[in-house]
Amino acid sequence: EIEQLTMSPGSLPKPLTAHEREQAIRRLEPTATFEMLNQVPEELLEEASPQAQELRRKLTKGATVVFVSAGYPGKRFIYERAAALGVKSVILDHPDSWS
């Protein structure tokens, strides 16, 4: 931790203000995924039917999900299930994590 403080670069840019961040976000072009999901009726995504479940699984396949902290090893099944569903998982954790 001390090493990070003493070795970090001092030339990082100043953070954006809340207003500048909002402007930057609004200038971004919508992604293909965002455009596709905008065309699907929300009721269909929330419906409890086999057809809606199949749609949700198709939408999930190929998605990238970022997990912040893997948690304890007993949660491994979550990442295995995500992989089985075709999700690309990214786990952000410390170097000596079990994951």
Side-chain angles (χ1 to χ4, degrees):
E1 204 169 308
I2 296 295
E3 180 182 320
Q4 290 176 345
L5 292 174
T6 59
M7 302 302 285
S8 63
S11 59
L12 292 175
K14 296 273 187 211
L16 298 176
T17 66
H19 179 70
E20 291 170 330
R21 266 194 318 274
E22 183 69 27
Q23 285 182 324
I25 289 169
R26 293 194 182 280
R27 282 193 301 265
L28 294 174
E29 294 291 324
T31 63
T33 302
F34 179 81
E35 293 291 337
M36 178 183 62
L37 285 175
N38 255 357
Q39 296 175 18
V40 179
E42 191 173 329
E43 310 83 52
L44 185 56
L45 292 173
E46 296 174 355
E47 188 177 301
S49 70
Q51 295 83 8
Q53 180 67 9
E54 183 62 27
L55 173 63
R56 288 189 293 270
R57 288 194 174 164
K58 284 181 180 177
L59 291 170
T60 302
K61 189 173 186 173
T64 302
V65 177
V66 178
F67 296 95
V68 179
S69 183
Y72 57 92
K75 291 186 175 185
R76 182 183 180 106
F77 76 95
I78 294 170
Y79 311 115
E80 291 172 348
R81 179 69 174 142
L85 291 172
V87 172
K88 294 178 266 182
S89 298
V90 177
I91 302 173
L92 303 178
D93 217 328
H94 52 88
D96 60 343
S97 169
W98 66 269
S99 62

